[in-house]
Amino acid sequence: MNGRYAEAHRRSLEDPEGFWAEAAAAIDWERRWDTVLDAGNPPFYLWFRGGWLNTCWNALDRHVAGGRGGQAALIYDSPVAGEVTTFSYAELRDRVALLAGALKSLGVAKGDRVLIYMPMVPEAVMAMLACARLGAIHSVVFGGFAAPELATRIDDARPKLILSASCGIEVQRVIPYKPLLDRAIELASAKPAACVILQRPMAPASLVAGRDHDWQALVAAARPADCVPVEATDPLYILYTSGTTGIPKGIVRHNGGHAVALCWSMANIYGMKPGEVFWTASDVGWVVGHSYIVYAPLLYGCTSVLYEGKPVGTPDAGAFWRVIAQHGVSVMFTAPTAFRAIKREDPDGTLIRRHDLSKFRALFLAGERADPPTVEWAERQLGVPVIDHWWQTETGWPITANCLGLETMPVKHGSSTKPVPGWDLRVLGTDGHELKRGEIGALCLKLPLPPGALPTLWHADDRFVSSYLAEYPGYYQTADAGYVDEDGYVFVMTRTDDIINVAGHRLSTGGIEEVLAAHPDVAECAVIGVADSLKGQVPVGFLVLKAGAAQLPAQVAEEAVRLVRERIGPVASFRTAIVVPRLPKTRSGKILRGTMRRIADGEEYKMPATIDDPAILGEIADTLKGAGYAKPPA
Ligand code: COA
Ligand code: AMP
């Protein structure tokens, strides 16, 4: 095995076309591509130009045709609904074909957008695959977003149809989804022609006559639909992610490169074999869920577990071990925050030892930096490799990892190991020059990006270039900063923009500030991400009130918290707004958010030379101490 990683990485950069053409042999093509990589219109690169395929065929039908029809494709395990249901490849194919037929009966065709706003039920997976089957473009919106966020996405994607469910279940609380959907459609200017609603028994919803259809009734009347071939460069989905403003970015994923890269990753990064069980504990609303709950495991012929529950509280901190043992999971993927939650409730791992984890081979973590204490704890308790790997919604699959399928490299805590084949990672300084090993700079990826990475933003080529490509010409800027050590290991340290990471979820502090600034009594505001022992970071807002504000400071702070929940959603975990007399700024008026964060986290900070009035920092520190922050680290 030794040396296989280095050789694969070298070859992927020296001969990308040969490398990816070979990987593409694992996919069924309706028509072979004309060009592996079309670099004729930089910085827009197209993989497998001229090729035709269908992603749903590759994820389901071909496995049935190839003899896997009886193998489990999807195991739905829901401690909150009290249900475990297994769908074989043949069953899942049939259910998806019928749902696709139902969507077709409502006029959905190739290239139409379909928005999916659903909890973690098998129908959500079926909905994504049914869209892929018809060549329609799905856009899944995470259930923890509020109506205005949903409306923004509806207006950008302009879906013909919306698929939703009557409710989600958060531990023991039933969350009605339908009122949020109705409100979002009211707010949006692009009205969908129809909605299809899955009625869950815990909270059935009332349907809007003439617009809403009952899921079960529609499917019962449908005829199965066949796979519609699409071009490799036709979009499979749009997934919105936080940008630096309140307007999210519509990440586009093409069918061809996505199928090739994800299939390759299952064998080479995760070291999986077809037929084995893979479990990603995330949500289909995030990229991790798109890639590693739905598409990659199915494209590769594995069994995927769809878990509707939490790491703790459903019913206890042993839930993950119960699922691994019950379904014979080989490899699991989740966010470090889930492990911090488990470690907090079961520090000695007592619940782990109650389960037979003999099939379990490796744990992969991503979504936020894997803090070494959590990784060490997981290694000690589980006795398997714990692999931190780094990626983004934009990249669609890991940029750096310990590629277990190629070669197991020694783990260095705090590092997400080395660039995965296909990714040409460079650390650049502010002037665009490459930095030496050990020096911290902007983590950038030399163009072209490999298959599966975003080719552009939905209907926003200019924003794609200005957001990612303009600052370092010839490179994609990840907006993460870090360094590469003497052994070539990559350390991802921090974001360079205003994105914060809350329980593995990506949030824009700028987006939260836009909500706070809209309050009539708020003159100005700043939001920072403060360290949190469970969620990694949580947002904290600072408000300066207008002279003669109508309400008392405590009332405004309370309303600010409510507003963020209503406008962005509970996913923002925004619980603390603090009213301050003024904000620390530079002489040119820039708010010193970085310094405020350091004070809040109890870190050392230098008095910025450009500060307007140094006394304000003392005031901020006192206010933060009063609110329970700014403690020196334990
Ligand atoms: N629909 C509706 N509401 C949702 C939701 C959904 N799909 N998902 C989360 N929420 C709500 C939660 O109920 C919570 O609401 P509350 O403020 O009323 O309590 C809020 O959004 C924040 O959710 P979350 O950040 O998940 O916090 P939590 O306290 O419920 O759970 C963890 C904390 C660590 C257990 C949880 O974040 C977790 O399991 N993480 C696993 C990793 C993961 O999914 N990562 C994603 C990327 S890989
Ligand atoms: P998202 O697009 O929501 O997947 O968030 C991507 C961002 O999460 C990255 O740009 C990083 O800031 C952070 N991230 C994801 N995985 C890691 C990791 N393994 N180490 C450090 N940061 C990570």
Side-chain angles (χ1 to χ4, degrees):
M1 290 280 266
N2 254 357
R4 277 190 67 201
Y5 159 75
E7 170 54 20
H9 191 252
R10 186 194 56 73
R11 201 178 148 229
S12 74
L13 300 191
E14 283 177 12
D15 175 23
E17 297 202 52
F19 185 90
W20 289 112
E22 218 169 81
I27 293 299
D28 275 6
W29 296 86
E30 184 78 19
R31 180 187 185 277
R32 199 182 151 85
W33 54 89
D34 300 320
T35 326
V36 181
L37 173 64
D38 178 349
N41 181 29
F44 300 94
Y45 296 90
L46 296 171
W47 286 95
F48 305 107
R49 184 88 192 245
W52 287 73
L53 78 163
N54 181 281
T55 296
C56 181
W57 168 273
N58 275 283
L60 299 177
D61 303 59
R62 69 160 171 157
H63 297 309
V64 178
R68 288 191 187 280
Q71 180 199 308
L74 190 70
I75 301 172
Y76 167 57
D77 186 312
S78 175
V80 292
E83 190 182 335
V84 176
T85 309
T86 299
F87 300 87
S88 69
Y89 268 97
E91 284 163 348
L92 192 59
R93 192 264 326 258
D94 292 348
R95 294 281 295 261
V96 168
L98 270 183
L99 179 59
L103 304 188
K104 203 170 155 183
S105 74
L106 293 175
V108 174
K110 185 173 157 182
D112 287 337
R113 272 82 58 215
V114 174
L115 192 135
I116 300 171
Y117 182 61
M118 295 188 70
M120 287 282 285
V121 291
E123 286 81 359
V125 177
M126 292 169 195
M128 293 165 75
L129 291 164
C131 291
R133 194 169 189 87
L134 297 176
I137 303 165
H138 62 68
S139 188
V140 184
V141 178
F142 177 63
F145 281 120
E149 288 288 322
L150 185 52
T152 310
R153 287 154 174 80
I154 293 173
D155 277 339
D156 198 68
R158 310 184 75 80
K160 184 174 251 180
L161 198 71
I162 298 185
L163 302 180
S164 190
S166 57
C167 67
I169 312 167
E170 281 293 293
V171 190
Q172 284 168 358
R173 276 180 307 148
V174 172
I175 315 270
Y177 274 33
K178 187 64 180 5
L180 298 173
L181 174 65
D182 289 343
R183 174 79 185 125
I185 294 175
E186 214 175 282
L187 291 171
S189 38
K191 311 285 182 201
C195 297
V196 182
I197 309 296
L198 179 76
Q199 296 283 21
R200 301 187 81 187
M202 311 85 195
S206 56
L207 302 185
V208 175
R211 187 196 75 187
D212 297 347
H213 299 261
D214 175 75
W215 188 299
Q216 304 297 2
L218 197 73
V219 168
R223 294 170 54 79
D226 284 337
C227 295
V228 175
V230 297
E231 284 194 63
T233 49
D234 279 333
L236 168 68
Y237 69 75
I238 308 164
L239 179 58
Y240 289 91
T241 188
S242 301
T244 48
T245 65
I247 307 295
K249 294 169 171 163
I251 306 300
V252 172
R253 198 84 59 210
H254 284 171
N255 275 276
H258 172 257
V260 172
L262 290 195
C263 212
W264 183 91
S265 74
M266 286 301 282
N268 294 285
I269 298 180
Y270 300 99
M272 291 295 291
K273 303 236 169 343
E276 291 183 329
V277 184
F278 193 80
W279 177 28
T280 298
S282 176
D283 189 288
V284 290
W286 306 119
V287 70
V288 168
H290 277 60
S291 294
Y292 292 106
I293 295 174
V294 184
Y295 287 110
L298 298 178
L299 284 164
Y300 192 58
C302 286
T303 300
S304 182
V305 178
L306 179 78
Y307 175 70
E308 188 185 26
K310 299 266 176 181
V312 294
T314 57
D316 57 27
F320 276 15
W321 328 127
R322 195 267 303 159
V323 172
I324 292 174
Q326 187 169 337
H327 305 305
V329 171
S330 296
V331 171
M332 177 187 189
F333 176 175
T334 192
T337 185
F339 268 72
R340 288 196 294 270
I342 296 170
K343 181 174 140 202
R344 200 159 77 168
E345 295 212 355
D346 183 21
D348 300 325
T350 312
L351 298 171
I352 299 177
R353 281 169 276 287
R354 293 196 192 150
H355 298 277
D356 172 10
L357 305 187
S358 52
K359 284 199 177 158
F360 189 47
R361 276 205 307 269
L363 169 69
F364 282 78
L365 299 173
E368 57 175 322
R369 182 166 178 268
D371 52 295
T374 302
V375 174
E376 281 160 25
W377 181 84
E379 283 172 342
R380 236 185 1 260
Q381 299 298 338
L382 295 169
V384 299
V386 177
I387 309 297
D388 177 18
H389 61 333
W390 166 55
W391 52 302
Q392 312 182 306
T393 307
E394 288 85 345
T395 65
W397 60 290
I399 311 165
T400 57
N402 198 334
C403 295
L404 294 192
L406 288 170
E407 171 187 345
T408 304
M409 284 181 266
V411 168
K412 283 196 191 190
H413 293 148
S415 166
S416 53
T417 317
K418 296 191 183 183
V420 169
W423 303 99
D424 190 354
L425 181 76
R426 310 288 174 102
V427 186
L428 303 183
T430 37
D431 58 358
H433 280 91
E434 223 176 309
L435 297 179
K436 289 206 234 33
R437 293 270 165 115
E439 288 180 346
I440 294 192
L443 295 174
C444 293
L445 299 161
K446 197 160 188 293
L447 299 178
L449 300 179
L454 83 169
T456 189
L457 295 176
W458 179 248
H459 286 174
D461 285 348
D462 290 349
R463 191 177 180 202
F464 169 62
V465 174
S466 63
S467 304
Y468 301 108
L469 310 179
E471 190 155 348
Y472 300 99
Y475 296 87
Y476 164 91
Q477 183 190 3
T478 64
D480 280 310
Y483 66 96
V484 178
D485 77 2
E486 286 305 326
D487 301 322
Y489 278 62
V490 179
F491 290 75
V492 182
M493 306 304 287
T494 181
R495 288 285 298 198
T496 56
D497 55 12
D498 73 350
I499 299 289
I500 58 169
N501 205 306
V502 181
H505 312 318
R506 170 169 157 179
L507 288 172
S508 154
T509 53
I512 302 175
E513 284 178 6
E514 281 176 28
V515 173
L516 300 180
H519 189 287
D521 282 341
V522 171
E524 52 175 358
C525 63
V527 174
I528 56 170
V530 173
D532 181 85
S533 62
L534 175 65
K535 298 195 177 186
Q537 282 182 306
V538 288
V540 170
F542 295 84
L543 313 173
V544 177
L545 302 194
K546 286 181 184 158
Q551 290 174 304
L552 292 171
Q555 282 174 315
V556 179
E558 211 178 295
E559 268 189 22
V561 169
R562 185 179 51 76
L563 271 179
V564 172
R565 197 177 174 91
E566 272 173 22
R567 304 258 168 96
I568 296 180
V571 65
S573 295
F574 184 75
R575 296 208 163 85
T576 313
I578 304 172
V579 175
V580 291
R582 47 202 183 140
L583 293 170
K585 290 185 189 168
T586 61
R587 280 190 284 276
S588 61
K590 200 167 166 276
I591 298 172
L592 291 161
R593 292 181 181 78
T595 312
M596 290 165 76
R597 187 200 56 75
R598 265 174 234 115
I599 296 174
D601 288 349
E603 287 175 15
E604 302 247 337
Y605 66 93
K606 277 200 213 121
M607 183 66 68
T610 54
I611 192 162
D612 182 31
D613 178 358
I616 305 182
L617 286 184
E619 288 171 21
I620 292 283
D622 288 344
T623 312
L624 278 165
K625 271 193 199 125
Y629 296 96
K631 292 199 191 95

